[in-house]
Amino acid sequence: MAQGERGRPTFKRDGGLGGGGAGGGRAGSGVGGGRPGHRGEAFDKPALVPQVTTLWDYPSQHYGKGMQGDAKFKGATPSYIIWNLLERYTQPGDLVIDPCCGSGTTLDVARDLGRKALGYDVHPTRTDIFRVDARKLPPELTNKVDFVFIDPPYSTHIDYGPDPRDIGKLDAAGGKYYEAMGQVITEIARVLKPGGYTGLYVSDSYEHDRQGGKFYALGFELFGLLRQKLIPVDIVAVTRHNKTLNMGNYRKAADEGNFFLRGFNYLLIFRKATS
């Protein structure tokens, strides 16, 4: 492992909590402290298992007896993915941030593991997520962050809200989406500590139409932008469990229209040089 030392999770292998969050955070600060609180599910999910290959799958959107983030949030990141990244690349007490925080999954997982956490989004969904553009992260974070996780908009597939700064309003057919993501990646590189890591989670985009459809290789394009600022560590393929993949009408349309449904996400892992 590049950093020479693996993070030590505070979870038991039965999926239960083994130590809780970092504690001590003030309400609304986004650092430490408890969650703003929704723990609705009452059944055990499969155990948390560290992934050791570059093909990842996850048996459930959430782990443990509750949920991380909000299961109803469109485009929510599976908490198993974030748990694996933080367990591998961070230590208790490290600072983790998410510039496109959505429903706060990263915050919940980080605090469960005893990491400090800050979340930013132009459409904050809870009180511990700050209304901040991912292209303009707070200046005081320069060289302060141990890990950045980001699951950005995949072009215009989801309408997250009215804020005009929303990158999800930029079509990948033009250059503005990639320009915006380049600015986000520049900010990630700025805030990371030397030797710090980032994980960018994204899917390619396909828009079907009667003219044959349009394919946008977001994964390859964003890998190229990341490589301009950071050092590649690895690429992981993560199986998608989007509900539409099992819907007969979607599968029939893909078969008859001779196109593919998106079956995996890229997880692009990079680190900042130590000097």
Side-chain angles (χ1 to χ4, degrees):
M1 201 159 298
Q3 78 273 34
E5 195 171 340
R6 182 176 181 142
R8 299 188 183 280
T10 57
F11 282 83
K12 300 175 183 177
R13 286 295 181 236
D14 63 3
L17 297 182
R26 61 184 175 83
S29 71
V31 180
R35 301 181 185 175
H38 41 261
R39 284 285 195 176
E41 302 176 35
F43 59 91
D44 286 326
K45 284 79 169 182
L48 289 159
V49 178
Q51 300 288 319
V52 296
T53 76
T54 55
L55 177 60
W56 292 12
D57 201 349
Y58 54 95
S60 172
Q61 182 75 16
H62 308 281
Y63 57 72
K65 295 182 181 296
M67 69 175 73
Q68 299 77 42
D70 186 348
K72 297 179 181 179
F73 183 81
K74 292 182 179 179
T77 309
S79 55
Y80 275 83
I81 306 306
I82 301 170
W83 182 90
N84 263 278
L85 286 169
L86 299 188
E87 194 265 353
R88 179 177 289 270
Y89 294 114
T90 67
Q91 301 284 338
D94 281 356
L95 176 58
V96 176
I97 75 164
D98 187 336
C100 294
C101 204
S103 67
T105 304
T106 300
L107 303 182
D108 292 343
V109 175
R111 291 167 187 166
D112 279 346
L113 284 168
R115 280 65 166 161
K116 294 175 288 186
L118 290 167
Y120 306 101
D121 204 294
V122 293
H123 296 113
T125 58
R126 47 193 247 192
T127 58
D128 60 346
I129 298 175
F130 299 96
R131 189 183 298 276
V132 170
D133 188 341
R135 291 166 284 189
K136 295 181 180 180
L137 296 174
E140 62 269 21
L141 290 179
T142 300
N143 294 325
K144 298 288 181 61
V145 178
D146 296 284
F147 192 94
V148 178
F149 178 79
I150 182 168
D151 182 355
Y154 311 161
S155 185
T156 56
H157 285 243
I158 295 176
D159 182 4
Y160 293 100
D163 195 306
R165 298 172 297 173
D166 185 355
I167 294 173
K169 299 185 183 304
L170 303 177
D171 198 322
K176 290 186 177 180
Y177 173 80
Y178 298 114
E179 179 183 349
M181 286 305 302
Q183 293 170 345
V184 172
I185 289 165
T186 296
E187 284 292 271
I188 291 173
R190 174 179 66 83
V191 302
L192 279 175
K193 289 180 178 178
Y197 287 81
T198 185
L200 189 151
Y201 189 68
V202 70
S203 174
D204 292 329
S205 174
Y206 179 82
E207 298 175 2
H208 186 63
D209 57 36
R210 294 180 180 179
Q211 285 71 46
K214 298 180 180 66
F215 171 73
Y216 303 104
L218 301 189
F220 287 2
E221 297 286 354
L222 296 185
F223 182 94
L225 292 174
L226 282 160
R227 195 170 186 178
Q228 293 175 19
K229 302 291 182 178
L230 301 165
I231 300 169
V233 174
D234 219 324
I235 300 175
V236 174
V238 181
T239 303
R240 286 172 63 91
H241 290 288
N242 191 304
K243 292 180 180 179
T244 59
L245 294 177
N246 293 320
M247 292 181 178
N249 57 327
Y250 279 82
R251 299 180 74 88
K252 184 173 184 289
D255 185 30
E256 294 179 351
N258 196 26
F259 64 91
F260 296 103
L261 302 175
R262 300 298 98 196
F264 73 95
N265 270 42
Y266 299 90
L267 179 56
L268 308 175
I269 304 170
F270 280 72
R271 67 177 175 86
K272 186 171 179 176
T274 55
S275 60

